[in-house]
Amino acid sequence: QPHSRPRHPGVSTMLPLLLLLLPAAHGIAQLDYRPALTKDPPLEGIKTASTFVVDQPRCIFQDYGNAVIWLVVALDQATSTFNNTWGPGTPETAFQSFPNPVRAYMTLNTTLGSYPCPKPKGDITVLRVGSETSCARDETRPTCNGPLPGPGPYQVKFLALEGSVPVAETRWSLPIMLRQAKSPSSIATADSGHSAGMIAITTILSILFAILLAGLVATLFSWGSDSCGSSSTFSKPESVTVRRYNTHHVYDQPAARL
């Protein structure tokens, strides 16, 4: 056909790739839910230097009973480049390579049965991200929920997979910053006034304690002296001699003396 236009060389190779990506792009349901740090009930240590606590996605994935729900943890700047088709436990999502070169990893997988709706009374409905230390360096457990390596910020989302196919996902959370330990120099600079005050209070208390201790020792010594003086005024009572009288014998006087 002399009038047909020649195809671009790359069209034949791009078309199969586009056909493969099309179901993935349109088959993932976007759920109107944003993970967040837990607030109810209030817990201690919602954020630490290597962990944070988020609410479980209750009543969010009810239409996906056969799916496995994963938590995706990403660096704040890596959310736009995360690929939902990357499978959990692959080199692209292994915790042991986070945060470099892996920028987002998948962990805390569970079925919908772990997130019942409505919530039974007394159920724990939170997830602590970063709580596993035993598998942090174990490359045979690439989906480890290991301690977070830095202060962040991080963002998380929940992703539902049926087999290896992503079927639904939530929105990304807002950026989450972890607690940071203060350096000794910053602590000294920021709290120098408090340190001087504490030293002054400690010194005063030490002086008062020494005065109190000296007074107590003097009082005990005085009581000891009084006890010794009063004991010296007592004299040993003289023994009482009782004369013995024999009333059972009568001595006869000689007749001549009468």
Side-chain angles (χ1 to χ4, degrees):
Q1 298 179 0
H3 298 288
S4 61
R5 294 182 180 179
R7 290 185 177 182
H8 192 278
V11 172
S12 59
T13 58
M14 290 291 293
L15 186 58
L17 180 61
L18 291 174
L19 292 176
L20 288 175
L21 293 177
L22 190 61
H26 293 280
I28 302 178
Q30 304 294 321
L31 305 179
D32 189 19
Y33 174 79
R34 187 189 296 276
L37 294 174
T38 187
K39 294 181 180 179
D40 186 29
L43 298 174
E44 293 293 333
I46 292 178
K47 292 193 298 182
T48 67
S50 60
T51 68
F52 59 88
V53 182
V54 296
D55 288 320
Q56 294 178 356
R58 297 295 180 102
C59 306
I60 304 301
F61 293 95
Q62 295 306 109
D63 296 333
Y64 306 93
N66 296 325
V68 176
I69 303 167
W70 291 83
L71 180 71
V72 183
V73 183
L75 295 175
D76 180 40
Q77 65 271 24
T79 56
S80 60
T81 58
F82 178 76
N83 190 338
N84 286 326
T85 62
W86 291 339
T90 60
E92 293 81 8
T93 60
F95 169 80
Q96 287 75 20
S97 299
F98 183 79
N100 189 24
V102 170
R103 313 293 281 172
Y105 65 95
M106 300 174 68
T107 187
L108 292 176
N109 60 304
T110 187
T111 60
L112 189 61
S114 299
Y115 299 143
C117 178
K119 180 193 76 170
K121 185 178 181 180
D123 265 18
I124 297 175
T125 61
V126 298
L127 299 173
R128 181 171 289 277
V129 182
S131 61
E132 294 184 75
T133 57
S134 59
C135 58
R137 299 181 180 274
D138 186 357
E139 295 185 355
T140 64
R141 295 184 58 188
T143 60
C144 174
N145 180 29
L148 295 164
Y154 302 99
Q155 289 182 258
V156 299
K157 74 174 181 179
F158 291 98
L159 177 65
L161 302 180
E162 290 184 354
S164 60
V165 179
V167 293
E169 67 175 347
T170 68
R171 300 161 63 188
W172 288 101
S173 70
L174 296 176
I176 299 172
M177 284 291 299
L178 301 185
R179 295 183 180 275
Q180 300 183 56
K182 293 183 179 180
S183 63
S185 58
S186 64
I187 294 175
T189 302
D191 297 337
S192 58
H194 296 287
S195 301
M198 290 299 296
I199 292 174
I201 292 174
T202 304
T203 303
I204 294 173
L205 291 177
S206 300
I207 295 173
L208 292 176
F209 179 75
I211 295 173
L212 179 62
L213 182 61
L216 181 61
V217 171
T219 302
L220 292 176
F221 181 78
S222 175
W223 286 353
S225 301
D226 292 343
S227 299
C228 294
S230 60
S231 62
S232 62
T233 59
F234 290 100
S235 59
K236 183 178 180 182
E238 295 182 358
S239 60
V240 178
T241 302
V242 179
R243 292 184 180 183
R244 186 177 180 182
Y245 293 93
N246 192 341
T247 59
H248 299 285
H249 298 280
V250 177
Y251 295 94
D252 295 332
Q253 299 293 332
R257 293 180 181 179
L258 293 174

